[in-house]
Amino acid sequence: MATIKTDDVFSIASFDPSKLAESFREFAEKGAQQSKDAYAKLKTAGEEAGKTLEATVQTAQAGTVEIGLKAIDVLRVNAESSLSHMEALLGVKSIAEFVELQTSFLRKQAEIAVDQAKSMQETTKQVAEKLAKPSKEAAEKAMASFKVA
């Protein structure tokens, strides 16, 4: 019959501290490496976010200038149109001519206003798309880098 050793399970002599130290060292080294890798990814993501923010600010600045120039052009066109209308009103000979001139001017101004609004809307849309593009690309890149790990 086989004999079962019961004293090995509870025996201090079977405990090897070098194996425990080696396991702990491996665990600590693995944890340190994972921390270094996570820090490197975080650092890269932070640098990319800084670059994205800088690009976004530059795009916003350029977009603001573009919208501002468009608004100035709208104001210039409207001012010129109003001055031309005032000059035309000075040469009116009758009430009927005044009403006709005024009606024509208002109709033309309404058409111009609609065109100007469409133009401003399109410009604003383009600026918004340009503004969102770097942030969207950076977010997609960051998410992809974390998914790979």
Side-chain angles (χ1 to χ4, degrees):
M1 185 168 187
T3 58
I4 300 175
K5 287 182 158 183
T6 57
D7 60 331
D8 284 350
V9 175
F10 299 104
S11 171
I12 301 270
S14 67
F15 177 70
D16 187 3
S18 65
K19 289 182 181 178
L20 179 64
E22 185 178 320
S23 295
F24 184 73
R25 187 179 312 109
E26 288 175 10
F27 177 76
E29 287 174 357
K30 185 177 178 183
Q33 187 59 45
Q34 287 175 342
S35 295
K36 287 178 185 177
D37 293 344
Y39 172 76
K41 285 183 180 180
L42 210 55
K43 181 181 175 191
T44 302
E47 290 170 352
E48 290 295 322
K51 290 177 187 175
T52 300
L53 181 60
E54 187 177 334
T56 301
V57 168
Q58 289 173 350
T59 302
Q61 201 172 27
T64 302
V65 168
E66 187 177 348
I67 291 171
L69 291 173
K70 181 72 77 174
I72 289 170
D73 186 50
V74 165
L75 291 172
R76 182 188 54 77
V77 167
N78 290 344
E80 288 174 358
S81 178
S82 293
L83 289 173
S84 295
H85 178 63
M86 289 299 244
E87 287 176 359
L89 286 177
L90 291 175
V92 169
K93 304 265 192 260
S94 69
I95 301 263
E97 188 179 350
F98 172 80
V99 170
E100 183 182 332
L101 191 60
Q102 190 67 16
T103 304
S104 172
F105 172 74
L106 291 174
R107 186 178 305 118
K108 183 178 175 187
Q109 283 304 108
E111 291 171 2
I112 290 172
V114 168
D115 290 341
Q116 289 171 338
K118 286 179 183 177
S119 177
M120 285 295 282
Q121 181 182 18
E122 184 61 33
T123 301
T124 304
K125 179 183 171 190
Q126 290 172 356
V127 167
E129 287 172 353
K130 288 179 194 175
L131 195 59
K133 186 177 179 183
S135 299
K136 181 181 175 189
E137 289 173 352
E140 289 172 352
K141 185 177 179 182
M143 295 306 282
S145 72
F146 284 112
K147 285 180 183 175
V148 171

